[in-house]
Amino acid sequence: MLFSDRDLLYLRRTPRVNDADFLASYDPHAYPPVAVTVDIVAFTIRNNALNVLLVRRACPPSEGMWALPGGFVGQWEDLPTAAARELAEETGVATAHRRLHLEQLGTYGTPDRDPRMRVFSVAYVAFAPDLPDPVSGSDAREAAWVPMDERPAELAFDHSTIVADGLERARSKLEYTPLATKFVGEEFTIAELRAVYETVWGESLHAGNFHRKVLSVPGFVESTNTTTERGGARGGPRAKLYRAGDARLLHPALLMPSREETVR
């Protein structure tokens, strides 16, 4: 356990006491105020483009600016509960969505990141296909899915940095986990899966090589032994349908072409 200098000085000068006596005389106002918030980077694919969920702030600070959905953690809330609540309150998007993937991204604590006081933010990143249109609420004036290529150059607080980190997390997780299957339906073609990789990575992939690599990863996908109802737009045979397998990690990993050489 780590103690502050003030606590150590107290312990040196004070005879041993039990917790109840110590807490009875403990003054939290003797320390600088600190708050904890949660921010959520939610991604989905719409119209063949990667979209991020943003809200327009309805009150100061940064009133009118686009930001990530989020807010202060309640006194008796744990972090995942606060993230789910803020996402629902500000956008109407519920984490109960059956295919939503939510994980902790990182902690942000630059001293001047919030002008109100010292605020530490625990950021979460969320992924899911076909998320609904958001409905603004709480302290959000507007909520919208915004294509990553069209997002504002500057977001409130340090949210531009958090979004960039969330995108890097999404891209890297596609390399070594089956996260891409969260962006497609329960049954999908290899071409649909490839489209997810191309959209998130922002790079074109060779269809044949991708197909071979996916099927060579144990547990990544499994065949449904069914096909699409019809062939592709140009005719031809019907495509085989797959579902997500039971793999938690992809081995070998599928690497982004742009950094495949540097990794190897």
Side-chain angles (χ1 to χ4, degrees), residues 122-197:
V122 180
Y124 282 79
V125 62
F127 315 96
D130 304 323
L131 286 172
D133 290 329
V135 178
S136 61
S138 182
D139 58 352
R141 180 186 303 171
E142 182 181 356
W145 288 108
V146 179
M148 284 291 289
D149 291 343
E150 300 175 16
R151 69 188 188 279
E154 183 179 356
L155 301 176
F157 310 112
D158 54 358
H159 290 185
S160 293
T161 297
I162 299 176
V163 169
D165 291 348
L167 177 60
E168 179 60 26
R169 171 69 65 85
R171 286 176 169 172
S172 64
K173 285 187 74 72
L174 258 62
E175 291 185 323
Y176 63 87
T177 77
L179 175 64
T181 60
K182 296 288 185 180
F183 287 91
V184 291
E186 292 189 6
E187 296 186 353
F188 51 86
T189 66
I190 298 298
E192 290 170 337
L193 191 66
R194 187 179 77 251
V196 171
Y197 276 87

Side-chain angles (χ1 to χ4, degrees), residues 66-137:
W66 287 100
L68 292 170
F72 289 96
V73 177
Q75 185 175 2
W76 304 112
E77 278 185 315
D78 63 11
L79 295 172
T81 300
R85 174 183 55 78
E86 286 290 346
L87 187 61
E89 287 181 357
E90 291 197 344
T91 70
V93 175
T95 55
H97 186 285
R98 63 191 177 89
R99 304 208 69 207
L100 184 76
H101 174 86
L102 182 71
E103 67 177 62
Q104 195 172 122
L105 173 64
T107 304
Y108 299 80
T110 303
D112 59 353
R113 65 179 303 275
D114 192 310
R116 291 168 290 191
M117 61 188 298
R118 186 69 191 273
V119 176
F120 294 92
S121 180
V122 180
Y124 282 79
V125 62
F127 315 96
D130 304 323
L131 286 172
D133 290 329
V135 178
S136 61

Side-chain angles (χ1 to χ4, degrees), residues 46-60:
R46 289 187 155 210
N47 301 318
N48 300 315
L50 185 66
N51 282 239
V52 63
L53 185 57
L54 298 178
V55 298
R56 192 184 294 276
R57 290 183 56 79
C59 56

